Structure formats: structure tokens, C-alpha cells
Amino acid sequence: MSTNALDSAPPSAPAQSATFTELLKRVKKEGLLDLQAGWYYRRIALNMGMFLAGVAAFFVVGDSPWQLLIAVWCGVWCAQMSFMFHDAGHKSMFRARQSATVVGYTHANLVNGFSYGWWVNHHNRHHSHPNHLSLDPDIGRRTAIFDIKQYATRTPVQRFIVRYQAVLFFILLTLESYKMQKTAVKMIAKRGELKQPLLELGLILLRQAIYLTCLFTVLNPVLAIGFLLVQQAVMGVYFGMIFAPNHKGMEIRDGEEETLDWLERQVLTSRNINPSPLMDFMYGGLNYQIEHHLFPAMPQKSLARARELTIEYCQEKGIPYHELGFWASYKEVANFLHDVSAPARHGEVTVENGVLKTAA
């Protein structure tokens, strides 16, 4: 089914009559919010098995340039394992806080060196107000801008990046894993930011000790550094592939208050990528971004059916539902970033004493 057509489909009923409660009833009727713990156990086992296969290959291959291919492999599967702490944080894996927390700390702090506590708080605020310039922390922490008014808040170096952000945004994704690890250290150092700072710090230090000891014991220093850089870059690009097309270029709001109800807030600000077995696997279900935002606690396995119900409901109520193919989605994001930064690139705006001004 071509979902592009849904964007311009004539409404069969006024959008004002649409309510999230009505759609939620349809989803609950089919049991789509029921837990699928067995499915997650199998997925965790697969991820861990593939990751450990990379670790075994690391020791078998030894001090050889072929290790850079293993670094790519490990980068991919570490990123795949991040889907597990994502779903644990949303309680879509387990409702019990203790079980979810164990999975979260293991996959975030111990495997990837991220802060699970920071991420849960940060990500929940993003879900509450996606694409809101003032309320969505995912917008606030990026160098890229989503509205020209943000240009004045960037440093001189960041303003250069912004002017060419349609290209540099994707290149700088190679640093995304490093930035997440850096944020973890900053949040642990801040008093009162995390509930379990010592636990989070201990797990991250344990990870670093094991990781660096293996690298510099098995590999020569140059190759060890190369392995680290390649794995981190692969993870960063993979993370970028996941989050880049989800919201960028969709509806933006600003101000002290939210202007959209829950249903419109999630549907109008999110973009899906056409599903297929490959896309579902690569994105860990986040290619169903609209449904994930509507039903954050829904297990991955149920998102495909929820998509069918949501498309049907949006058609009934005349609500635009945006879904594109893999390459088309990234092209749309790049075009959006290019258009937003155009006034800065063409010298139409300047910054004086932190204030954005229109050039004469």
C-alpha cells in the first residue's frame, strides 16, 4: 500500500472528531499491548549470540588488519543491543521495574557505555513533546537547527556546521556513540541527575576496563585504536540511521505550552519507513515510529498490526499519515535541513551579541 497517498487523501470525517481513546480501544481489542516476553528472550539471545561470535572471532583472528571487519560486526550488534534497553525503558518488554532496569543497565551501561538513567528521563520527555523547540530535549541537544531562530544559540563553530548541515549532519553521525558516552560521564558527575550514579559508573568502568584491556593486549596500539574508532563510527552511523528519519522535517511547534493533543502530536510529528522484514530488523521496530509514539509500551512484535489499524483510523478521520521508503526518507530529511539553514548559508541572517538579525 502506498502511504504517500495518505498524505493528500481527502478526509472522510473532520479531523477534530478523532480521539486517541477511540484508536486505543481498537488496539486493545486485539491485545496488541499485551507483553511478548518470549519474543524478547529470543531476541536478546540472538543479539548476545551474534555479539559473542564477534568476540570469539576477535581472539581467533588476533593482531591482523582483518580485525577492522570484526569492529564493524561488533558495532552493528552493539547498536542492535541498544534496542533492548530502549524497549526495557518503555516497559514494552517487562512491566516490572526491576526486570526492565536489569536489562536496561546491562545493555546501556555495560554493553555500550551509555547512561540508562539519563536516557530514560531524556527519552520520556522527547516522547511527551516530539519536535517541540522548547520542550523536546532531542532538539535542544543537537548542533543542527530545525528552525532558523535556533541559529543564534549556536557557537561560531556550530554555525559553520549549521550552514552546511544537510551534509555535515550525516557525516557527524559517526560521533554519535562517542557523544552518548560523553553525556553519560557528564550526567554521572552531576549531583542529583541520576538515581544510581555509582552503579552506572561502576558498570561503565567495568566495560571500559574489559574493552581496552582486550584491545591493547591482543592488538598492536595502532590497530587497537583503529578498531575502537571503526566500531564507534559504525555504532554512531547506525544510531543516526535509526533516529534521523523519525521526526526531522515533520511538524514543528514552539512556545511554553503544547498546542496539539496526543493523537495529532504523535502522528503529525513522526515519519514511518515502509516496513519489510529487513527494515523491521534494522530499525528494531522504530521504522513504525508513528505507532511507537502513539503506544510507547507496545512490544515490537505488535507494531506492524498497530500500523494497519492506525492507517485505517487516520484515513477515516482525515489525519495525514506520513510513510516513505528508506532512501526517500533520508532525502526528505536532507532537503529539510538544507532549506532550514538556507538563510544562514546565503547571509540573510547574522548574529550580534547572541541576537539573530536579518541582514541588511
Side-chain angles (χ1 to χ4, degrees):
M1 180 178 189
S2 175
T3 325
N4 286 337
L6 294 180
D7 291 327
S8 57
S12 56
Q16 293 89 325
S17 67
T19 66
F20 175 67
T21 302
E22 186 177 348
L23 176 59
L24 182 61
K25 287 180 180 177
R26 301 184 188 186
V27 165
K28 284 185 173 181
K29 185 178 180 180
E30 297 199 15
L32 299 180
L33 289 173
D34 296 346
L35 293 178
Q36 301 283 343
W39 186 91
Y40 278 108
Y41 288 138
R42 291 189 294 273
R43 186 60 188 272
I44 289 174
L46 171 65
N47 289 346
M48 188 60 69
M50 300 303 281
F51 173 71
L52 291 178
V55 173
F58 172 84
F59 287 104
V60 170
V61 171
D63 193 19
S64 164
W66 288 104
Q67 287 284 7
L68 297 182
L69 290 179
I70 297 173
V72 172
W73 176 271
C74 290
V76 167
W77 285 101
C78 283
Q80 277 285 326
M81 293 171 81
S82 73
F83 294 135
M84 297 300 98
F85 78 73
H86 172 272
D87 286 16
H90 278 297
K91 303 298 188 293
S92 58
M93 185 180 297
F94 309 108
R95 297 286 188 258
R97 180 181 296 275
Q98 186 174 8
S99 300
T101 299
V102 169
V103 172
Y105 283 137
T106 301
H107 288 77
N109 295 66
L110 186 58
V111 173
N112 285 310
F114 304 156
S115 169
Y116 178 67
W118 166 80
W119 178 85
V120 168
N121 177 268
H122 177 93
H123 195 63
N124 285 344
R125 287 187 290 139
H126 158 69
H127 266 262
S128 296
H129 304 282
N131 265 20
H132 193 291
L133 295 179
S134 305
L135 303 176
D136 182 356
D138 257 6
I139 284 183
R141 74 184 183 94
R142 302 289 174 196
T143 297
I145 64 171
F146 305 88
D147 188 289
I148 194 60
K149 69 177 68 173
Q150 295 178 291
Y151 186 63
T153 65
R154 302 310 191 250
T155 66
V157 172
Q158 289 175 328
R159 288 173 201 154
F160 172 81
I161 294 173
V162 164
R163 288 196 288 273
Y164 306 99
Q165 65 180 15
V167 174
L168 294 180
F169 173 82
F170 294 97
I171 295 175
L172 292 176
L173 290 179
T174 56
L175 300 176
E176 188 63 23
S177 178
Y178 161 75
K179 288 167 62 178
M180 291 279 285
Q181 292 166 352
K182 180 181 177 181
T183 298
V185 174
K186 290 172 61 178
M187 291 302 104
I188 290 170
K190 280 188 177 182
R191 182 174 297 179
E193 286 292 327
L194 303 176
K195 292 181 179 179
Q196 300 287 342
L198 293 180
L199 174 61
E200 297 217 30
L201 176 61
L203 290 172
I204 290 174
L205 289 177
L206 177 61
R207 172 195 180 272
Q208 290 295 86
I210 295 172
Y211 185 42
L212 295 179
T213 297
C214 289
L215 285 186
F216 287 93
T217 300
V218 176
L219 309 180
N220 68 73
V222 173
L223 189 56
I225 293 172
F227 187 103
L228 188 152
L229 293 177
V230 168
Q231 191 211 11
Q232 291 294 303
V234 169
M235 287 176 64
V237 171
Y238 201 152
F239 290 145
M241 287 176 58
I242 295 167
F243 72 72
N246 293 342
H247 303 284
K248 292 163 184 61
M250 302 303 292
E251 181 163 330
I252 296 282
R253 285 104 54 241
D254 197 7
E256 296 182 359
E257 297 182 1
E258 183 58 72
T259 56
L260 298 176
D261 63 24
W262 181 262
L263 179 67
E264 291 184 321
R265 191 186 315 170
Q266 308 304 337
V267 175
L268 298 181
T269 64
S270 303
R271 175 194 293 106
N272 276 17
I273 294 178
N274 291 337
S276 70
L278 177 60
M279 290 296 105
D280 292 0
F281 177 78
M282 284 180 59
Y283 282 83
L286 296 182
N287 51 317
Y288 302 101
Q289 189 67 195
I290 294 172
E291 288 70 36
H292 171 59
H293 264 256
L294 285 170
F295 314 103
M298 180 177 289
Q300 280 188 40
K301 187 179 179 182
S302 300
L303 291 169
R305 175 55 183 157
R307 167 184 173 270
E308 296 173 353
L309 295 177
T310 303
I311 288 176
E312 180 182 279
Y313 187 71
C314 287
Q315 285 180 320
E316 292 174 9
K317 302 301 182 180
I319 301 174
Y321 181 104
H322 198 47
E323 183 175 280
L324 293 175
F326 177 83
W327 293 112
S329 65
Y330 291 106
K331 181 179 179 181
E332 191 167 270
V333 170
N335 287 339
F336 166 75
L337 294 173
H338 180 80
D339 292 343
V340 168
S341 60
R345 193 167 52 255
H346 297 154
E348 297 171 5
V349 295
T350 58
V351 178
E352 297 181 16
N353 298 320
V355 178
L356 186 70
K357 293 189 177 183
T358 303

